Amino acid sequence: MRTALTDLLGVEHPIVGFNRSPGVVAAVTNAGGFGVLAASAYKPEELDAQLTWIEEQVQGKPYGVDLLVPEKFAAGDPDNLIASLRAQIPPEHFAFVQDLLERYGIPPAPEGTGSFDEIAASLNPAGAAALLDVAFQHRISLIANALGTPPPDLVARGKAAGVVVAALVGRPKHAHRQIDAGVDVLIAQGTEAGGHTGTIATMVLTPEIVDIAGDRPVLAAGGIASGRQMAAALALGAAGVWTGSVWLSSEEDVANQAIKNKFLAATSSDTLRSPTRTGKPARQLCTAWHDEWEAAGSPEPLPMPLQPLLVNEAWQRIDAAAEAGHEGALTLESFFVGQVVGSFREVRPAAEIVRELVADCERRIADLGALLPSPAV
């Protein structure tokens, strides 16, 4: 299967697999797709180690990274960033989270658990720049930006290094801004997607972005976990698909077994867009965590990165306790996932998912071709 995306990236299949797990990234790339690592999940030194490991696994095959660079965020003192940001969090927010954990009986984090404060505080252009420096020390083929127009330095460095610059968009006006910024690839992310997303459905958004993009390849994202959905994206004019949620059902994904079990039991109506984890609307599995935040008298979520600074330790504790089978933690346990979670049936290797996506897509395209009358002889 050859598209503008496969030509641009030099890959066999027009499938981009986005995940925070290096194992997923390597497996997707080695299966003929294009793996992309969620770089904002790491500190700079951790990112360096993960990219080095990926390169050892893929042996010269192309892969990329994705950064979260929000256009709107709470600013802090660069000389004392974490403390200055935490000082902006109202005491009642800390009290609410502490009370929630106590009511569900969530134990303290295991001894030796590291802090995610540094990662949360880095969700700004300065923090992204440090990760960008690391990424460009490696032989990445693509760098993607989410949550706004990429900083000019990101685009300039990408073009100077011959690295494709991509950006996620959720509305047509976002696409115009990205084109003006000089990005090479647009990712039309519909509301069905997991993580940060807008409100327009993929079926509507993709052709809108294709019409705006001109000769730039467009990837469809959101609601794509099968070959039929991939074929539909190509029919809408996309040059490929950007997939995220489907890899949460892979063996290589680092999510704990407790949340994977919840994914397997979920339906497509069991997700919601909520700012209660990151400070920006992000689709995730709906659980008691969200019920608590939406209850009368609960505080309003804070902007990014204050909300992650507020709740990241709580999520460390919830995740660890859920993995140990703690009932209260299992009730709260959640993660970012799209509406395709309702199609998850089993956990399997990422390479098998790639092969099935491609085979089913090709089969569906052939079936559609058979609907047309044979040309006259």
Side-chain angles (χ1 to χ4, degrees):
M1 194 180 301
R2 183 175 179 181
T3 72
L5 179 73
T6 61
D7 289 347
L8 180 64
L9 298 178
V11 295
E12 184 179 357
H13 308 308
I15 298 172
V16 176
F18 165 74
N19 194 272
R20 60 178 173 159
S21 312
V24 171
V25 174
V28 171
T29 284
N30 284 331
F34 186 86
V36 171
L37 183 70
S40 296
Y42 299 99
K43 301 172 185 176
E45 63 275 15
E46 294 171 338
L47 178 61
D48 180 56
Q50 301 296 0
L51 297 185
T52 298
W53 183 88
I54 290 171
E55 289 171 353
E56 291 171 351
Q57 305 306 308
V58 302
Q59 294 292 300
K61 297 184 183 73
Y63 76 98
V65 299
D66 173 278
L67 291 174
L68 289 176
V69 190
E71 287 186 289
K72 298 178 181 179
F73 57 93
D77 179 0
D79 296 326
N80 195 13
L81 185 58
I82 293 174
S84 64
L85 288 170
R86 291 183 72 86
Q88 300 177 48
I89 300 175
E92 56 266 30
H93 282 71
F94 283 117
F96 172 80
V97 173
Q98 183 59 33
D99 176 69
L100 189 157
L101 294 174
E102 290 176 357
R103 284 190 288 108
Y104 283 83
I106 307 302
E111 190 171 340
T113 301
S115 171
F116 280 85
D117 282 0
E118 184 179 337
I119 294 174
S122 71
L123 294 172
N124 56 60
L131 296 175
L132 200 61
D133 288 341
V134 172
F136 277 107
Q137 292 170 13
H138 291 264
R139 44 167 202 77
I140 60 173
S141 298
L142 176 146
I143 188 155
N145 179 70
L147 295 182
T149 306
D153 182 56
L154 188 157
V155 178
R157 291 181 71 172
K159 293 188 180 300
V163 173
V164 174
V165 179
L168 283 80
V169 299
R171 300 172 67 179
K173 70 176 184 179
H174 299 161
H176 288 294
R177 284 190 215 145
Q178 303 288 10
I179 291 170
D180 290 342
V183 304
D184 304 302
V185 174
L186 296 174
I187 302 160
Q189 180 173 268
T191 192
E192 303 95 321
H196 298 102
T197 182
T199 59
I200 303 175
T202 305
M203 179 68 73
V204 174
L205 182 65
T206 301
E208 288 185 330
I209 304 306
V210 168
D211 289 346
I212 293 168
D215 59 358
R216 288 173 177 79
V218 173
L219 305 182
I224 300 167
S226 72
R228 288 178 295 174
Q229 291 158 336
M230 181 177 168
L234 296 174
L236 293 172
V241 292
W242 175 281
T243 55
S245 295
V246 67
W247 311 110
L248 296 171
S249 66
S250 71
E251 293 177 356
E252 293 86 349
D253 178 75
V254 297
N256 65 57
Q257 191 58 48
I259 191 61
K260 288 188 178 183
N261 289 340
K262 294 189 80 168
F263 288 157
L264 294 175
T267 71
S268 57
S269 60
D270 290 332
T271 69
L272 83 169
R273 291 171 69 247
S274 169
T276 59
R277 284 193 68 145
T278 71
K280 292 184 181 293
R283 187 171 297 283
Q284 53 211 270
L285 193 67
C286 182
T287 70
W289 169 270
H290 307 96
D291 296 338
E292 294 289 349
W293 278 92
E294 293 174 3
S298 299
E300 290 294 320
L302 301 168
M304 182 180 282
L306 302 185
Q307 188 70 12
L309 280 171
L310 171 66
V311 305
N312 276 356
E313 181 186 349
W315 277 107
Q316 286 179 283
R317 293 170 59 179
I318 292 167
D319 289 340
E323 192 165 14
H326 186 282
E327 184 177 349
L330 289 170
T331 304
L332 295 169
E333 180 70 317
S334 175
F335 194 64
F336 307 103
V337 70
Q339 292 177 337
V340 292
V341 68
S343 67
F344 293 178
R345 296 291 177 267
E346 60 182 336
V347 175
R348 54 207 174 113
E352 181 180 323
I353 295 174
V354 173
R355 288 192 293 269
E356 184 175 287
L357 280 168
V358 172
D360 287 352
C361 178
E362 291 176 344
R363 187 179 304 114
R364 188 58 190 148
I365 291 173
D367 289 345
L368 290 171
L371 297 177
L372 297 174
S374 300
V377 178

